Amino acid sequence: QVQLVESGGGLVEAGGSLRLACAASGRIWRINDMAWYRQAPGKQRELVARITSGGNTNYVDSVKGRFTISRDNAKNTVYLQMGSLNPEDTAVYYCNADITSTLLLTRNYWGQGTQVTVSS
């Protein structure tokens, strides 16, 4: 059994910063790509940022220069540092990861989501 648990969401004023964290636990042999998605009310879920096991990153254009994704492989954790937040960043943020279990089965996992609300 593998779980992803997010933390760090909340309410912040426009221009402020937040850091999200997502810790993977369970029968993990290897974590491959990790990513953050978000879904705003009435909108489709979108990829915000992705980081490979080797540390390569990519971002959606709307967050480039403001958000930074990173990972701590020793802690099985991925982070999303968010800065210069604006109300358009308000959404539920979901952690996502491709994980190979100790049974050598690779699956895609989702966290439960954490709410980020940016007030104007």
Side-chain angles (χ1 to χ4, degrees), residues 84-104:
S84 300
L85 286 161
N86 59 64
E88 288 70 41
D89 296 314
T90 295
V92 178
Y93 284 71
Y94 296 91
C95 177
N96 178 272
D98 288 328
I99 297 175
T100 302
S101 71
T102 53
L103 297 177
L104 300 184

Side-chain angles (χ1 to χ4, degrees), residues 6-88:
E6 298 115 334
S7 60
L11 174 65
V12 64
E13 291 185 350
S17 300
L18 279 177
R19 188 174 86 149
L20 306 182
C22 171
S25 62
R27 297 177 181 269
I28 298 170
W29 182 65
R30 183 178 65 196
I31 302 178
N32 306 302
D33 289 4
M34 305 185 83
W36 288 95
Y37 286 74
R38 66 185 179 186
Q39 187 166 21
K43 295 188 176 181
Q44 289 189 333
R45 190 172 298 189
E46 68 168 350
L47 174 65
V48 176
R50 180 185 301 278
I51 185 167
T52 68
S53 57
N56 293 318
T57 60
N58 62 278
Y59 300 88
V60 67
D61 286 346
S62 60
V63 308
K64 286 180 179 177
R66 300 189 299 122
F67 291 11
T68 301
I69 189 171
S70 61
R71 63 192 287 171
D72 183 335
N73 292 328
K75 295 182 179 179
N76 290 339
T77 299
V78 62
Y79 303 96
L80 186 68
Q81 179 68 48
M82 305 184 292
S84 300
L85 286 161
N86 59 64
E88 288 70 41

